[in-house]
Amino acid sequence: MDAADLDRRARTLSGCIPPLLVSRLLELGHEEEVEFQAGRGEWFCAREWARLLGDRGRQAQALEVLAPYVATGWWPAGQAQAELLESWGRAAEAIALARPYARVGGFKLEFLARLLARHGRRDEAVGLLSAGIEDPALATALVDVAEGTGRDEDVAALLAARIPARHRCDEPWCCRGLDPDTAIGLLAVIRERQGRLDEAIALLRTRQVSSSGGRDRLADLLARHGRTGELRAYAAIEAHGNAARRLAELLEERGDVEGALAVYRQPDGPPAGGHPDTVELALLLARHGRGDEAIEVLRTLADSPGGAEDWIVHALCTLYAEHGRAGEGVAHLDALRARRGGEEEEHVFRARLRLMADCGRLDEAIEQAGVYSGEDPGYAGGIIADLLAATGRTAEAVAILEQHAPDHRTALAGHLIELGRVEDAMALLQQREAEPFVPIWSGTFDAQPRP
C-alpha cells in the first residue's frame, strides 16, 4: 500500500469498503471479515478493528494493525494511532508520533497543539500556534488553547494587529491569511471569557457579517448571557434571520414555547423572514406534539406562490409520513402537479413514491418509477430498489441492482451484507477501475486570490 492510493480511496470512497458498511459488518457479527480486510489494505476496516482491539485491552495488536498504514507516512493513519495512544493514557507517545507531521503546519499542527494543551503543555501549544496565526484555523485553535494560560492579552494583541481601522473584507479572497472579520470574532471570544461582555458585544457589532453556517456569533453571545432584550432588538434588524432563530431557541429552552412561536409568527418579522422562518415554525410545532398545526403551516406555504421549493416540499412530505398521513401527502402532491400542468420535479416525484409506499401503494409506485425514468433503466432501478428495501423486500432490491451494479455499487453491497452475502459484497466494493492521479491533500489551501 502507499499513501497516495490510501488517500484517493479514503477521500473518494471508491474501490474500498466505506465506513458505514464497516459498521454494518460489525453490527451483524462479521468481525472476522473486518479483521481479514484490515490486513488487506482496507483502511476503514483497519481503523475500526484497531479501535475494537484497543477497547478489549489488546493494545499491542491494535498498533500492529495500524503499523503498515502508518509506515506509508499517510497522516490519517498517524492521527488515528495518536488518538488511540492518547485514549489509552499514552499521551507522550501520541505527541512524539504527531510532532513530525506537524512541521508542515495546517491541521496537523492544530492537532498537535490541541493534544499538547490537553496534557498540561498549553504554553508550548500557544507558542507553536502563535507563529501560524495567519491561518484562520490555527488562530481559532490558539484562542482556544490560550484559555487559562495567562496569555490572553498576548493573543489579543496578535489579533488586534490584524484588524485595520477602516478596511473590512467584502469578499472571501479580499485579504490573504487571517481576515479582519475572523480576527474580530476571535478577539470577542477572548473578551467574553475575560468577563468584558460589553467590549465583546461592541466588537461583534463592527463585523461586516456576523452570521455564518446558520449561526450568528453576536446572537449566540447574547443568548449565552441571558440578555434577552438585546437579543430581541438585534433579531428585529439582523439580515439573515439567524438572530431570530436563536431567540426562538432560547425561549424554547426556557420552556416558553408560545414565546418561541411568536418570534416566527410576527407579521413584520426579521428581514430574512418568510420561508425559512415558516419552516422553523412548523418544526417547532411538530417538536411539541402539534403535528396537525405543523402540517397546515407548511401546506399553506407550499400552496403559496413560489412556496413549493424542493426543501419545503420535502419537509412537508416528511411531516405527512411521520404523522401517519401519507395518503393526504400523496393527494397534496397530486394537486401540486395539476397546478403545474402535469409536470413534477425529481425531488417531488421521489417524495411521492415514498409516500405511496407508506400508504400501501408500493406496486403502483414501482410502476410509476419505471414510467418516469423512461429510457434510463439504471436510474429507475435505483429508485425501485430504494422502495423495495425500505419496505423490507431486500432480496428483490438486490435482484434489480445486480442488473445495474456499476451505477449502484455501494447500495448493492449494503443490501448484500444484509442478506449475508458478505463475500459477494466485498468483491463488488473492491473492484478497481483506472483512476487519474490525485495528489494527497496537504490540508492547506492556495492563499493567492483567484482570478
Side-chain angles (χ1 to χ4, degrees), residues 307-355:
E309 298 180 26
D310 54 355
W311 63 286
I312 293 171
V313 173
H314 175 75
L316 175 58
C317 290
T318 299
L319 286 177
Y320 273 126
E322 290 176 347
H323 292 83
R325 296 171 59 178
E328 293 178 58
V330 174
H332 180 86
L333 295 182
D334 286 341
L336 177 60
R337 183 167 60 184
R339 291 200 303 271
R340 293 177 168 178
E343 295 183 0
E344 192 163 54
E345 297 176 4
E346 179 185 349
H347 69 275
V348 177
F349 177 71
R350 282 180 172 268
R352 166 191 297 283
L353 296 182
R354 187 58 190 268
L355 289 172

Side-chain angles (χ1 to χ4, degrees), residues 62-255:
L63 295 179
E64 287 177 7
V65 170
L66 293 180
Y69 298 88
V70 176
T72 67
W74 187 47
W75 165 242
Q79 179 180 349
Q81 182 167 317
E83 289 171 344
L84 284 180
L85 288 167
E86 183 187 17
S87 71
W88 301 336
R90 297 163 62 174
E93 294 174 69
I95 291 169
L97 176 65
R99 194 178 294 279
Y101 292 98
R103 293 180 186 134
V104 301
F107 61 80
K108 300 170 187 177
L109 175 57
E110 179 186 352
F111 178 88
L112 173 63
R114 291 186 183 277
L115 177 59
L116 289 166
R118 287 194 296 272
H119 296 280
R121 297 167 68 173
R122 286 183 177 269
D123 283 335
E124 182 181 354
V126 169
L128 289 171
L129 291 170
S130 295
I133 196 169
E134 289 298 335
D135 182 326
L138 295 183
T140 301
L142 173 60
V143 170
D144 291 342
V145 304
E147 184 173 8
T149 64
R151 304 276 298 277
D152 270 352
E153 282 305 322
D154 294 338
V155 176
L158 290 174
L159 293 169
R162 285 155 179 80
I163 304 172
R166 295 181 178 81
H167 175 69
R168 291 288 182 271
C169 294
D170 56 5
E171 58 183 38
W173 295 95
C174 177
C175 293
R176 298 169 60 182
L178 183 66
D179 64 276
D181 272 0
T182 299
I184 289 169
L186 293 174
L187 181 55
V189 170
I190 293 176
R191 296 307 181 217
E192 179 184 3
R193 73 181 178 219
Q194 290 176 325
R196 297 158 65 174
L197 293 183
D198 288 339
E199 290 181 53
I201 291 170
L203 278 165
L204 291 177
R205 290 191 186 280
T206 68
R207 295 184 70 186
Q208 293 290 90
V209 178
S210 190
S211 291
S212 64
R215 306 300 303 180
D216 184 278
R217 280 199 170 191
L218 176 55
D220 286 341
L221 185 151
L222 294 170
R224 279 194 298 274
H225 296 279
R227 298 173 76 151
T228 311
E230 291 171 77
L231 176 55
R232 194 179 295 277
Y234 179 50
I237 61 171
E238 192 266 314
H240 299 279
N242 295 323
R245 283 186 281 282
R246 186 65 189 96
L247 173 61
E249 290 171 1
L250 178 63
L251 294 171
E252 184 182 11
E253 290 162 8
R254 293 177 173 179

